Amino acid sequence: MCGRFGQARKITELKQLYAAEGNIEWPGSYNIAPTELAPVIIETTSQERELKLARFGMPMTIKGKSFLLLNVQSEKAATREDFKFRRCVIPADGFYEWEKVSPKDRQPYYFSPKQGIFSFAGLWMQGRTGLCFTILTVSANELVQPIHGRMPVILGHNAVYQWLAPNSTVETLKLLVEPFPASLMQSWKVSKAVNSPSNKDIICINSL
DNA sequence: CCAGACGTTGTT
DNA sequence: GTCTGG
DNA sequence: CCAGACGTTGTT
DNA sequence: GTCTGG
């Protein structure tokens, strides 16, 4: 799954990369945790993209129990209402996965693109305290598989615009959901500094 | 995702 | 895995 | 007890 | 153990 990621670029750069508008304050973070704000890109009906801040995780209550929906399995996403009407892209420098070394010991790894930036496919909603989002997941590719069985849905450059376009059909959207090629990614072990959500520093991504 | 806190009865 | 229904 | 469902993940 | 917060 994807429960922690980093995004340390400035808003001006993100606006350029995604041809998006929007004036938001973003200090950058190498360790974005659930409930925390992150920049997301949404396409408005006017076919213009806008950067907004949204919280990681959709508050859900099901059968009396509430929890944060951090991820949605892409295999099950197409029937959701938000899949049809509230898609977003989450820019990320990289994401973290934890390897179960033993029942009590988990080793974090950092996964990042060899070039450029990751664009996670996401869904958003209006929560009580503002916008919030969830990240779609897919089966892990060969690079991630040894560490964890799932990974975020990562969109290529062209796929980003199709994903965001309000008039894309469900059939078109389904084609965009595929494991990102392992050959375009890299990974390394990182220290457990990332474990603590209060550490936002670059040391989170330093190779161990 | 991980870290950290944890509250009622009523005494091994 | 957990939860529900039979 | 098992079968089946379940808007997160999760399995030695 | 479970629950909450980041």
Side-chain angles (χ1 to χ4, degrees), chain A residues 170-182:
Chain A
V170 170
E171 290 312 308
T172 300
L173 295 169
K174 280 183 174 177
L175 296 176
L176 306 179
V177 174
E178 53 184 348
F180 193 76

Side-chain angles (χ1 to χ4, degrees), chain A residues 77-128:
Chain A
T79 56
R80 298 171 57 100
E81 188 205 11
D82 50 14
F83 182 85
K84 293 169 186 151
F85 302 113
R86 297 196 305 277
R87 297 181 301 277
C88 65
V89 163
I90 301 103
D93 294 324
F95 62 90
Y96 301 92
E97 298 289 358
W98 279 258
E99 177 185 32
K100 274 200 169 166
V101 179
S102 72
K104 205 59 185 167
D105 186 26
R106 313 198 86 209
Q107 172 63 51
Y109 287 72
Y110 183 64
F111 295 86
S112 56
K114 286 180 178 172
Q115 290 190 324
I117 191 170
F118 279 150
S119 299
F120 296 161
L123 304 169
W124 65 274
M125 63 174 272
Q126 179 70 48
R128 296 181 71 82

Side-chain angles (χ1 to χ4, degrees), chain A residues 3 20 32 71 89-90 95 116 128 134 163 169 175 178 188 195:
Chain A
I32 297 166
N71 300 105
V89 163
I90 301 103
F95 62 90
R128 296 181 71 82
T134 189
W163 180 257
T169 66
L175 296 176
E178 53 184 348
W188 51 79
N195 286 15

Side-chain angles (χ1 to χ4, degrees), chain A residues 1-6 32-34 56-57 68-72 90 92 94-98 111 118 120-121 133-138 144 148-154:
Chain A
M1 72 102 67
C2 182
R4 217 71 84 77
F5 65 99
I32 297 166
F56 182 18
L68 273 184
L69 189 68
L70 306 185
N71 300 105
V72 165
I90 301 103
F95 62 90
Y96 301 92
E97 298 289 358
W98 279 258
F111 295 86
F118 279 150
F120 296 161
F133 68 92
T134 189
I135 299 171
L136 296 203
T137 62
V138 68
V144 181
H148 197 83
R150 307 283 299 181
M151 62 181 280
V153 172
I154 299 167

Side-chain angles (χ1 to χ4, degrees), chain A residues 39-56:
Chain A
V40 304
I41 298 137
I42 293 168
E43 186 159 318
T44 61
T45 50
S46 56
Q47 294 203 336
E48 290 185 343
R49 286 163 297 282
E50 193 164 355
L51 273 166
K52 293 174 179 286
L53 287 178
R55 288 189 187 280
F56 182 18

